[in-house]
Amino acid sequence: MTGEVAVLGAGMHPWGKWGRGFVEYGVVAARAALADAGVDWRSVGSVVGADTVRGGYPGYVAGATFARALGWQGARVSSVYAACASGAQAISTARTQILAGMADVVLVVGADAAPKGFFRPAGGDRPDDPDWLRFRVLGATNPAYFGLYARRRMAVHGDTLEDFAQVKVKNAASGALNEYARYRKPVTADEVAASAVVADPLRLLDICATSDGAAALVLSSMEFARRHGAPDPVRVRAVSTVTPTYPNTVLDLPDIATDSAAAIAPAGRTFRASIARAAYEEAGIGPEDVSLAEVYDLSTALELQWYEDLGLCGEGEGAKLLHDGATAPGGRVPVNSSGGLASFGEAVPAQAIAQVCELTWQLRGAAGARQVSGARVGVTANQGLFGHGSSVIAVR
């Protein structure tokens, strides 16, 4: 397909709480990706940085920040911010530049040094900002939102605390095998149940942490990949960055109300379901073709929701899919073979890039003990504030 670009290299900095600056993490990931690709830094025609709002001006202009740290060599730069979807937007920008003939090789980098505790809006008073309002007016922190969403699944679909706990058990088992993960220890359902309640019904082990970390990719045109000696690389076939359709009748961060559907009937699918659908349509595949998925498990309950939104099962069937073992290692479609955010925590600009790193290693057959047998097609799902959809499909 003419819309494909090659993934020549993938690299990461281990995630954790390291107490250093995001630039250091990003440079480690970038150099690892360049080494993996066998590409000299001077051959990179463009750098796309996923921004971090916690990095001051260097974070706001991450493309130039990373280019400077790696050594000025004249490359184009772009900087992208879309909250948790920043990494996918950066991949989309890089892919567009390659397909437009603006660069043969593009380095995509995202890195963050996250605060302790949950994320909060940037400083200052902004009464027209829904993200600011939900904190100041409702006190609705991210964990509070996760708890409300979990309660909704319990009320609508009959999900239980035990269902949520099993998501953590599954992801922790995979994370224990991942050298880049922050948490590398298996967890039992009893340990999840015994952890402190953070936002009822969710416990501490149901909710992802905030982390330092970085991820990077080297993308290229297919022609460059062939010249470079990579005739059959992993390829990005589709990137979805869609927005909601009015009326949006399912509550999504950061909004504190849904749209009225009194005058216009809702679309046939929710915003989250439309994210994956757009990617499937561009790639010319369906959920039945997917070998593995990396999804945005801010909480255990939200992972179950992504099963349904990706079309891996019907509405309300996420818990059954989990208990059937379909999303576990060795299952029909393993989900979060990396360990997910449950094992990594959030390093916001890096996480959508890290998802594609995992797909790349899996599709190459280079994931070691985490390897998904026969992996040919991988999909990611992510979501940023203010309607930033995020899904990437990679194939081999």
Side-chain angles (χ1 to χ4, degrees):
M1 293 178 65
T2 57
E4 292 184 338
V5 298
V7 184
L8 291 185
M12 294 179 67
H13 182 290
W15 294 33
K17 285 288 190 181
W18 307 116
R20 300 193 294 277
F22 80 96
V23 181
E24 180 178 336
Y25 309 142
V27 167
V28 169
R31 287 176 175 159
L34 289 166
D36 184 46
V39 170
D40 185 88
W41 159 236
R42 289 166 293 186
S43 298
V44 172
S46 179
V47 180
V48 183
D51 293 348
T52 169
V53 298
R54 283 169 292 281
Y57 280 115
Y60 304 152
V61 289
T65 297
F66 291 128
R68 178 177 182 270
L70 290 163
W72 294 126
Q73 45 84 312
R76 296 174 181 270
V77 293
S78 300
S79 299
V80 176
Y81 184 70
C84 295
S86 297
Q89 293 273 358
I91 292 168
S92 180
T93 299
R95 177 174 176 248
T96 300
Q97 290 180 350
I98 292 168
L99 295 178
M102 297 171 66
D104 277 337
V105 183
V106 181
L107 174 66
V108 180
V109 191
D112 205 0
K116 184 178 181 179
F118 54 76
F119 294 122
R120 60 187 182 277
D125 291 343
R126 297 183 307 282
D128 59 347
D129 177 350
D131 197 39
W132 183 88
L133 285 171
R134 70 182 173 95
F135 275 78
R136 296 299 182 91
V137 177
L138 296 181
T141 63
N142 285 10
Y145 168 82
F146 305 154
L148 289 169
Y149 211 98
R151 278 290 172 198
R152 182 181 185 276
R153 285 200 60 86
M154 295 173 80
V156 174
H157 302 308
D159 289 358
T160 67
L161 298 181
E162 291 73 24
D163 297 332
F164 301 153
Q166 286 303 319
V167 174
K168 174 67 176 184
V169 171
K170 173 184 70 69
N171 289 348
S174 292
L177 303 173
N178 193 330
E179 62 181 319
Y180 296 107
R182 177 178 177 180
Y183 301 104
R184 300 189 59 193
K185 179 182 176 183
V187 170
T188 67
D190 287 343
E191 288 174 321
V192 178
S195 63
V197 175
V198 175
D200 185 73
L202 299 178
R203 273 60 179 166
L204 183 64
L205 295 183
D206 283 304
I207 297 172
C208 75
T210 59
S211 291
D212 298 356
L217 296 165
V218 175
L219 306 181
S220 81
S221 65
M222 295 302 297
E223 181 182 353
F224 179 92
R226 286 189 288 269
R227 294 199 312 265
H228 190 64
D232 184 29
V234 172
R235 306 178 307 280
V236 171
R237 179 171 285 181
V239 184
S240 168
T241 58
V242 299
T243 55
T245 300
Y246 182 89
N248 189 7
T249 57
V250 177
L251 193 64
D252 281 312
L253 277 174
D255 297 315
I256 56 179
T258 57
D259 297 328
S260 171
I264 301 175
R269 58 180 63 94
T270 64
F271 168 47
R272 291 185 189 178
S274 74
I275 297 171
R277 178 53 54 186
Y280 289 145
E281 289 177 354
E282 182 183 349
I285 65 169
E288 67 278 3
D289 300 307
V290 171
S291 307
L292 74 155
E294 286 288 307
V295 306
Y296 186 48
D297 58 318
L298 292 168
S299 79
T300 50
L302 285 172
E303 175 165 325
L304 295 180
Q305 184 66 45
W306 280 117
Y307 296 173
E308 299 163 23
D309 293 335
L310 286 175
L312 305 181
C313 62
E315 184 178 355
E317 297 176 356
K320 181 179 185 302
L321 192 73
L322 172 75
H323 290 295
D324 286 347
T327 61
R332 174 172 61 84
V333 53
V335 175
N336 283 341
S337 60
S338 66
L341 296 182
S343 299
F344 278 74
E346 283 200 273
V348 170
Q351 53 209 34
I353 302 171
Q355 289 180 327
V356 180
C357 288
E358 177 67 13
L359 295 191
T360 299
W361 294 323
Q362 290 286 353
L363 294 173
R364 287 178 180 172
R370 304 190 315 280
Q371 184 61 50
V372 174
S373 178
R376 303 295 295 176
V377 178
V379 63
T380 72
N382 208 306
Q383 182 182 357
L385 290 177
F386 303 102
H388 283 108
S390 164
S391 181
V392 178
I393 290 177
V395 300
R396 181 73 183 272

